[in-house]
Amino acid sequence: MVLDINDQWGKTSTMHENSLQFDFLPELNDPLLITGFSGWGNALDISWGIADFIIRKLDAKVFGHIIPDQFYSFDEKRPTVEIKDGILQKVEHPGGSFYISNPDESSRDIIIFRAVEPSLRWLHFSDIVLSVCERFGVKTIICIGSVFDNVLHTDNVISALASDNTLLNTLDKEAVRYANYTGPGGIHSVISHEAQKRGFDFINLWCHCPQYLQGTTHFGMLCKLGNLISRIGGFDLETDELEITWQEVSRQIQDIIDKNPELKGMIDNLKKESRKDSEENRDKHGKIINFDRFQKNQKRKH
């Protein structure tokens, strides 16, 4: 079922009638929005992965979709097709969907927006996301990103930026560092910038991932991130399975390192560099982390 949002939502939806569709319009209590994207800013699949994990653990149901035609260049982000025995079964286009969950009927509702980072019309895309927030009474937005950095798999480093100092101060006890960065940005920053202009509170959380784990799921980072988001958002999220899986995976990683002298030497050098970078890139309170190395890493990749 696709609703006529002009009838259900009102005149404010007219500008989005070709960009957004709803399966149903939920009634929500003090909802929080959590966003996760694939594409740029999704190192080790952390951003997309945590959104997917929260959707699964909270049994969230999809209720709205971004219509992809205006926002994706299909020759760059191609649709996924499924063919069986010569019959075309389905075609899945890149896009984004809104999910809703109430983990505890007495607590706030959680909206999760999981999307492929758009190729085109970022300001219009951001306006759609924020219009949904306004329609359903969202006041706070948590955007998740992840980057490759000169860190170890045991570090679990998360940095943050926020719409004001009050929100940043809430992260002090969470051992989250503040971010410094000048360079290319992702859709996370565009949404957050537009959100700030429209009076939303926002927190951007960036996970720093070891380059030598490319192709591996960092369950330890997912576990830390899931616990952090649930504390910030004030809802329960069971992460034991991530912790148990990470204990096993980290043992396997360490076994590989111990058996590979070249890799072990690289890790030892990285430890030395990491200690040096920590001294150079943090302020006297140890709260600041610079993203300069991330920018250099991105340039090497491209």
Side-chain angles (χ1 to χ4, degrees), residues 65 192 277:
H65 312 270
S192 297
D277 288 338

Side-chain angles (χ1 to χ4, degrees), residues 36-42 45 47-48 77 114-118 187-188:
F37 293 93
S38 66
W40 196 95
N42 184 38
D45 203 33
S47 179
W48 181 273
K77 302 182 186 300
R114 186 182 61 178
V116 178
E117 184 181 57
I187 189 64
H188 324 66

Side-chain angles (χ1 to χ4, degrees), residues 29-30 101-110 234-236:
N29 173 42
D30 187 27
S101 174
N102 187 317
D104 178 346
E105 292 185 0
S106 64
S107 66
R108 73 190 316 177
D109 294 294
I110 310 298
F235 64 95
D236 293 328

Side-chain angles (χ1 to χ4, degrees), residues 170-185:
T170 65
L171 300 174
D172 281 349
K173 62 182 179 180
E174 302 289 352
V176 173
R177 304 175 190 174
Y178 303 166
N180 278 343
Y181 174 63
T182 301

Side-chain angles (χ1 to χ4, degrees), residues 227-255:
N227 289 331
L228 175 60
I229 293 171
S230 65
R231 288 195 294 270
I232 294 173
F235 64 95
D236 293 328
L237 183 67
E238 178 58 60
T239 60
D240 286 352
E241 68 181 75
L242 295 175
E243 177 63 28
I244 293 171
T245 303
W246 179 239
Q247 290 175 5
E248 177 58 30
V249 171
S250 60
R251 282 195 294 267
Q252 295 174 8
I253 292 171
Q254 189 59 51
D255 186 55

Side-chain angles (χ1 to χ4, degrees), residues 30-34 108-112 138 140-142 233 235:
D30 187 27
L32 168 74
L33 177 71
I34 300 169
R108 73 190 316 177
D109 294 294
I110 310 298
I111 300 175
I112 306 100
V138 171
T140 303
I141 300 169
I142 301 177
F235 64 95

